[in-house]
Amino acid sequence: MKKFICLVVLSFFCGIVFADNPLRLFHIEMNKNPNIVCYDAMLDSNNQINKENPVDSYWVSFTEKNKKREKLNTSDKKIYGFKTKYNEKDNTFDLTLKVIDDKTMTILMTDGKPKVKILINNVEAYLEKIYIQSRENWLGVPSVSFYTLHGLTVNGNEPIEEKVIVK
């Protein structure tokens, strides 16, 4: 019960702390520990998304007394890594996350801020966070049970979420 309460408080805290970062595209929370993986937009000198390096991803570790930023290692990138592809026609980027490769995402600038557009419950939304519930098999190898997408609708700015069960 203590662990659950700590995770709820931490989730609330993370939402407040990371909502103010203007370059934050979204972050990933997990059931295994309080650490999060952040995905921030990289801007060029014209305040546009950098075509060569559009996204920076990294851990924020909450296991220490202070939060600490850490690079994703090679093993982490196999799970939390991503691919981007620039779309010259509309000046956006396709984004594919390895951990949820079944969802199409688009990075774009809107109202002067970088955002990720995604379909959540078949409604266009701006992604804010992904929650991943995982389990370990008898060998200790983790696998995703389900993930939940959290965002705001493009038309209306209303909160929306979708739980996706992984088979």
Side-chain angles (χ1 to χ4, degrees):
M1 185 67 176
K2 265 184 168 178
K3 189 174 184 178
F4 174 74
I5 291 171
C6 287
L7 284 173
V8 170
V9 169
L10 182 62
S11 294
F12 176 75
F13 174 75
C14 289
I16 291 172
V17 169
F18 295 109
D20 293 337
N21 182 343
L23 298 179
R24 176 68 30 82
L25 294 168
F26 62 93
H27 68 274
I28 296 178
E29 298 175 2
M30 296 138 270
N31 67 307
K32 293 294 181 186
N33 61 55
N35 303 331
I36 62 173
V37 181
C38 298
Y39 297 83
D40 294 352
M42 300 292 289
L43 302 184
D44 62 20
S45 59
N46 297 321
N47 264 354
Q48 296 300 309
I49 299 170
N50 185 317
K51 292 177 184 164
E52 303 300 318
N53 187 21
V55 178
D56 180 29
S57 62
Y58 54 92
W59 284 101
V60 174
S61 173
F62 290 96
T63 54
E64 306 291 325
K65 277 191 172 187
N66 299 317
K67 64 181 183 186
K68 181 175 146 186
R69 179 183 166 131
E70 298 175 16
K71 289 184 177 187
L72 296 180
N73 63 34
T74 304
S75 175
D76 296 334
K77 288 179 183 179
K78 289 179 182 177
I79 301 168
Y80 302 108
F82 60 90
K83 290 183 183 178
T84 59
K85 180 183 173 198
Y86 179 63
N87 298 312
E88 192 168 340
K89 178 181 164 190
D90 55 3
N91 198 30
T92 62
F93 296 81
D94 294 333
L95 172 67
T96 306
L97 284 176
K98 291 187 178 183
V99 72
I100 58 164
D101 61 357
D102 60 333
K103 288 285 191 175
T104 304
M105 297 180 244
T106 304
I107 305 170
L108 65 151
M109 291 294 282
T110 182
D111 300 325
K113 295 179 182 174
K115 296 187 179 187
V116 170
K117 192 184 320 184
I118 186 171
L119 286 179
I120 300 178
N121 286 327
N122 293 319
V123 175
E124 282 192 330
Y126 295 121
L127 183 62
E128 292 188 319
K129 79 175 181 180
I130 301 169
Y131 172 79
I132 296 175
Q133 178 78 33
S134 63
R135 63 184 180 286
E136 293 180 359
N137 67 14
W138 61 278
L139 291 174
V141 177
S143 63
V144 175
S145 301
F146 69 86
Y147 61 88
T148 307
L149 303 169
H150 299 265
L152 297 172
T153 60
V154 170
N155 299 325
N157 215 26
E158 297 291 324
I160 189 168
E161 68 179 54
E162 175 182 3
K163 181 178 178 179
V164 179
I165 309 262
V166 177
K167 306 235 176 194

